[in-house]
Amino acid sequence: MKAEDIKLRFVPGTFKLSKIEDEVYFSKKYKNYISNSRFGLLDPAKDGSPEKFFKGFEDQGFKEFFELGSAVHELCLQPEYFAMAPDLGKPSAKLGAMADELYTTFTERPIMIEDIIRASNKIDYYKGKIDDKICSNVIQKCIPYWKNRLNYEGEEGKEMIHLGGYARSVVLGCVDALQNNNMIYNLLHPVYFNEQPIVENEQAITVDMEATMPEGQKYVFHIKSKLDNYVIDFDTATITVNDIKTIGRGVENFHDNFINFNYYRELGMYCGLLKLVAKEEYDINGFDIKSNCLIVSTRQPFNTGVYHVTREDLAKGWKEFLFYMKKVAYYYYKGYRWN
């Protein structure tokens, strides 16, 4: 069977543009939705396989760079919903993640060893090695943070981001650097002359895609994408997708990340889906589409930059997205199913 023998089409009426909180977007509710990142589980160059793809992401424990990246996104793109709390003494790294995981339990009742084991399994903090000594150490080092957080009132109407020490300073440094880069600021807050543009942050696109096999079998798959920021500019008839990227190296090394992490496929997929959604959601057709990566280094002095994604990379990414969808259909045809 060849890829060109499998026919794909989006199911009419299934495009949906909506705000979905991260907690829900990454929950079991959307477990069997296909995202760009999930394609990595199918990529043999990244040790992927059909088994891994249909199983989905396993809980891989706490990753500090995910925590930092999420906080930067929230403060830059959703300042009306999120704010940074003062340094309340949160422990660093995985112990800090344990402290957050156990905080609600602390406010309700004494912490038990079963609670610490449960949190340990989720965070991957001494997983499988929890004993009385480790339990005592966790409670002793987390109690000051728990008490400070309990007594901190926060900002009304906002979800507080709790980070301590170095992590907190990195996030604030990145946010400040992004906000003080005039080019980045203008991309996220565009000026206009005639008609006010549509500017949206953290919008999710969901849609169903139908695959028809050469023998006539039809399979329907759910797709999801979450866009950092997009701008529909009526003055210039342009749709622009902007994506904030943190990098642990200098911004001059970003092109390597762009290729190695398949950002071209991610943004090609985002732009292609948004262009289709714009017609249904906003009755817009024929607009040009562009994309930028808004980069900030997590190293001091938190240098920033704008990486303009080429039309060729967007086209390559969209083509690769469709190719991977055909691979998914092929493996489904061969009997693989969602776990």
Side-chain angles (χ1 to χ4, degrees):
M1 186 182 300
K2 297 180 180 179
E4 55 264 31
D5 296 330
I6 302 173
K7 307 303 179 186
L8 301 174
R9 76 177 186 107
F10 292 105
V11 179
T14 62
F15 274 108
K16 187 175 181 182
L17 185 64
S18 58
K19 284 192 181 293
I20 303 175
E21 298 298 327
D22 280 353
E23 186 177 352
V24 177
Y25 184 81
F26 295 107
S27 71
K28 291 182 179 179
K29 180 178 179 180
Y30 292 95
K31 179 178 183 294
N32 293 338
Y33 278 67
I34 299 169
S35 63
N36 171 69
S37 57
R38 190 162 189 158
F39 287 137
L41 299 177
L42 197 59
D43 187 351
K46 293 184 168 64
D47 196 31
S49 67
E51 292 84 0
K52 290 181 178 180
F53 177 86
F54 283 96
K55 184 177 182 180
F57 291 102
E58 298 182 39
D59 193 344
Q60 299 179 15
F62 170 76
K63 304 293 183 186
E64 188 172 26
F65 56 88
F66 284 150
E67 182 181 56
L68 296 180
S70 294
V72 170
H73 278 72
E74 289 164 349
L75 293 175
C76 281
L77 300 174
Q78 298 177 290
E80 67 274 28
Y81 299 118
F82 295 92
M84 178 68 80
D87 191 342
L88 301 176
K90 178 180 173 178
S92 61
K94 289 186 178 182
L95 184 56
M98 289 285 288
D100 282 339
E101 183 68 22
L102 293 165
Y103 173 71
T104 300
T105 303
F106 167 78
T107 64
E108 297 171 347
R109 59 174 173 77
I111 299 289
M112 310 293 288
I113 187 170
E114 292 81 6
D115 302 316
I116 295 178
I117 291 173
R118 172 186 54 79
S120 164
N121 291 336
K122 181 176 180 179
I123 306 300
D124 192 24
Y125 177 83
Y126 290 103
K127 186 176 181 179
K129 302 176 183 178
I130 297 297
D131 55 21
D132 290 342
K133 181 178 180 180
I134 293 176
C135 283
S136 176
N137 183 64
V138 168
I139 293 173
Q140 180 182 358
K141 291 188 175 180
C142 292
I143 275 185
Y145 166 62
W146 288 336
K147 289 183 176 179
N148 289 338
R149 182 169 170 178
L150 187 62
N151 294 325
Y152 175 65
E153 294 183 1
E155 294 186 26
E156 187 176 353
K158 293 188 178 184
E159 181 176 337
M160 304 308 298
I161 298 171
H162 293 280
L163 294 173
Y166 175 73
R168 185 174 183 275
S169 67
V170 167
V171 169
L172 291 178
C174 288
V175 172
D176 185 64
L178 286 166
Q179 292 176 339
N180 283 287
N181 181 309
N182 289 333
M183 183 180 294
I184 291 175
Y185 183 88
N186 290 333
L187 285 169
L188 295 175
H189 308 88
V191 297
Y192 64 97
F193 299 99
N194 296 311
E195 188 172 354
Q196 185 172 354
I198 296 171
V199 181
E200 292 286 356
N201 296 324
E202 298 293 345
Q203 286 274 25
I205 297 174
T206 55
V207 66
D208 290 346
M209 175 175 275
E210 181 185 78
T212 303
M213 310 308 288
E215 299 170 356
Q217 301 93 330
K218 295 182 184 293
Y219 308 122
V220 174
F221 302 101
H222 305 305
I223 296 169
K224 68 175 183 177
S225 292
K226 195 168 188 185
L227 284 63
D228 286 357
N229 165 272
Y230 67 82
V231 177
I232 299 178
D233 190 327
F234 297 97
D235 288 350
T236 61
T238 302
I239 299 173
T240 303
V241 175
N242 296 304
D243 200 86
I244 293 178
K245 299 293 187 188
T246 54
I247 182 171
R249 302 183 295 164
V251 296
E252 67 276 4
N253 298 304
F254 180 74
H255 180 72
D256 293 338
N257 284 29
F258 186 80
I259 301 301
N260 294 336
F261 297 138
N262 304 110
Y263 290 153
Y264 64 90
R265 186 179 66 219
E266 176 187 38
L267 292 167
M269 181 178 174
Y270 288 177
C271 289
L273 292 176
L274 182 59
K275 194 170 184 178
L276 294 171
V277 170
K279 184 174 182 179
E280 292 198 13
E281 191 78 15
Y282 302 115
D283 195 26
I284 290 171
N285 196 17
F287 276 32
D288 190 18
I289 193 151
K290 299 179 180 179
S291 183
N292 306 293
C293 293
L294 315 180
I295 319 158
V296 60
S297 173
T298 55
R299 292 180 177 180
Q300 290 186 345
F302 309 114
N303 291 326
T304 57
V306 176
Y307 183 92
H308 301 291
V309 184
T310 66
R311 293 176 184 273
E312 291 75 18
D313 278 329
L314 292 178
K316 175 185 175 184
W318 181 253
K319 183 178 180 181
E320 192 168 300
F321 155 62
L322 296 177
F323 175 74
Y324 269 90
M325 285 304 303
K326 290 185 178 185
K327 290 185 73 170
V328 172
Y330 172 77
Y331 288 123
Y332 198 86
Y333 166 81
K334 285 294 187 180
Y336 289 94
R337 294 295 184 266
W338 309 108
N339 290 350

